[in-house]
Amino acid sequence: MSETSARLLALLSLLQARRDWPGQLLAERLEVSPRTVRRDVDRLRDLGYPVRATKGPDGGYRLDAGADLPPLLFDDDQAIAVAVALQTATTTVTGIEEGALRALATVRQVMPARLRQRVDALQVTTVDRYASRRTTVDSEQLIAIGTAVRANEVLRFDYASPGAGTEEWVPPRKVEPHHLVTWGGRWYLVGWDLDRNDWRTFRVDRMTPKTPTGPRFAPRELPAPDVATYISSKFRGQDRNPCRGEAILQAKASDIAQWAGHGAVVEELTPTSCRLALSGWSWTGLAATFGMFDCDLEFVGPQELKDAATQLAARYREAAS
């Protein structure tokens, strides 16, 4: 029985690896007869896997989509990729938070201990949902950095300076890692730079972690209420829009944050109100953007924003009449 079960898992893994498999090739890979392959395919069908026989000179099998999602079989790299994707799924898609968390819990529960420890080490804060740029980072780098964050261990790494070539590296950095963050489609590490005695942010795609990590440390307090606020204020100067203003909105900060967009900073004032800072290409356009949130609001400033709102209100009033 155990031999049959192991062979079924091997067959399922092969069927998931490519679209079509000739029956004879499956038999050779599994080191069994074509008749045994047919019986194993029938067993998979009984378990709910939609395996379809394909016609042709060779004849073979294909794993099709079914009415229900059957159990899936992942190798180590696929399992880690799924866990990372579930943690960052809400970066660009709203409304799936609960489903992603439940799926992550399901995947984690059946993981081998060696993989579960690596995934647990990767804790990510998603700051910006509206990313206009993407960079690729190595999953092993994320795991190494996440492990140091979770263990409160000093992280040593080479860091490529902006605009530098692959051979141009600054001296190794020593940092107390605080948190991994996504912002604008890029991964960043927030940490206390031991050499510069100050908080710094580092792009993960420019980092090359070194092993072993350094000694453990007592976590410091960020110079902000939370890591999202710190990152938002840190990158505020990168906004190239010429006009920036603030308003107080009579709405929950969590509701506004879902739709505020790239570069916005949302500060909770009370459970039902918040301060919103936005930028735009013109003062009139910025005033119109504040109005799209469909709630009572009060413009804080600057005066150019208030004047634009007055002009826009008159224009709308005339258009409506």
Side-chain angles (χ1 to χ4, degrees):
M1 179 63 70
S2 60
E3 181 181 348
T4 301
S5 299
R7 193 173 64 247
L8 286 178
L9 289 175
L11 174 58
L12 178 59
S13 179
L14 290 174
L15 290 172
Q16 290 178 169
R18 55 184 279 184
R19 181 172 177 79
D20 293 297
W21 278 94
Q24 183 60 41
L25 182 56
L26 278 177
E28 293 174 0
R29 293 290 294 270
L30 296 172
E31 298 181 350
V32 295
S33 67
R35 182 179 179 182
T36 299
V37 171
R38 289 194 295 270
R39 287 201 303 265
D40 288 345
V41 166
D42 289 337
R43 292 188 179 99
L44 288 178
R45 289 169 177 162
D46 292 339
L47 293 173
Y49 293 94
V51 183
R52 181 164 66 90
T54 58
K55 298 180 180 180
D58 294 330
Y61 301 95
R62 173 187 300 171
L63 184 61
D64 282 344
D68 298 313
L69 181 65
L72 302 177
L73 185 65
F74 296 125
D75 59 28
D76 288 6
D77 291 339
Q78 289 174 324
I80 292 177
V82 168
V84 171
L86 288 172
Q87 286 204 47
T88 58
T90 56
T91 303
T92 55
V93 182
T94 61
I96 64 170
E97 292 86 350
E98 181 182 352
L101 289 175
R102 288 192 289 110
L104 179 59
T106 300
V107 172
R108 182 187 176 282
Q109 182 177 357
V110 297
M111 276 184 171
R114 67 180 188 280
L115 296 184
R116 191 182 306 121
Q117 292 173 359
R118 298 177 68 190
V119 170
D120 287 347
L122 182 61
Q123 301 296 326
V124 180
T125 295
T126 299
V127 175
D128 186 14
R129 298 175 183 269
Y130 299 89
S132 58
R133 58 195 177 187
R134 300 287 176 197
T135 55
T136 302
V137 297
D138 185 86
S139 61
E140 291 298 325
Q141 285 181 271
L142 288 177
I143 294 296
I145 297 170
T147 300
V149 171
R150 186 179 181 85
N152 294 327
E153 293 177 345
V154 172
L155 186 65
R156 300 181 304 116
F157 56 90
D158 289 328
Y159 193 66
S161 57
T166 55
E167 301 300 326
E168 300 178 47
W169 294 85
V170 298
R173 310 294 285 268
K174 292 188 298 182
V175 171
E176 295 177 355
H178 184 274
H179 218 292
L180 276 171
V181 179
T182 60
W183 169 271
R186 289 176 177 154
W187 291 82
Y188 294 89
L189 171 68
V190 177
W192 177 267
D193 193 316
L194 293 172
D195 294 324
R196 290 156 180 79
N197 200 36
D198 195 9
W199 289 98
R200 291 288 191 272
T201 57
F202 304 92
R203 278 180 50 173
V204 173
D205 58 304
R206 293 176 178 167
M207 296 172 57
T208 303
K210 291 180 172 293
T211 54
T213 53
R216 294 177 63 89
F217 61 89
R220 304 170 187 263
E221 289 190 9
L222 274 171
D226 53 59
V227 68
T229 302
Y230 174 78
I231 287 292
S232 298
S233 61
K234 187 75 174 178
F235 293 153
R236 190 181 304 171
Q238 294 185 4
D239 195 341
R240 297 180 181 178
N241 286 322
C243 306
R244 189 171 185 88
E246 296 184 6
I248 295 176
L249 278 60
Q250 299 303 314
K252 294 180 179 179
S254 58
D255 293 339
I256 298 301
Q258 293 186 52
W259 309 106
H262 180 73
V265 177
V266 183
E267 176 188 357
E268 184 179 74
L269 300 178
T270 70
T272 58
S273 67
C274 63
R275 182 190 300 266
L276 174 63
L278 286 178
S279 62
W281 61 275
S282 72
W283 291 113
T284 304
L286 184 58
T289 301
F290 276 108
M292 78 176 186
F293 292 100
D294 193 24
C295 64
D296 293 336
L297 72 160
E298 173 189 351
F299 287 109
V300 176
Q303 187 61 44
E304 291 87 345
L305 175 60
K306 297 181 179 181
D307 293 342
T310 301
Q311 295 173 8
L312 195 60
R315 187 178 303 164
Y316 282 167
R317 189 179 301 110
E318 183 179 350
S321 62

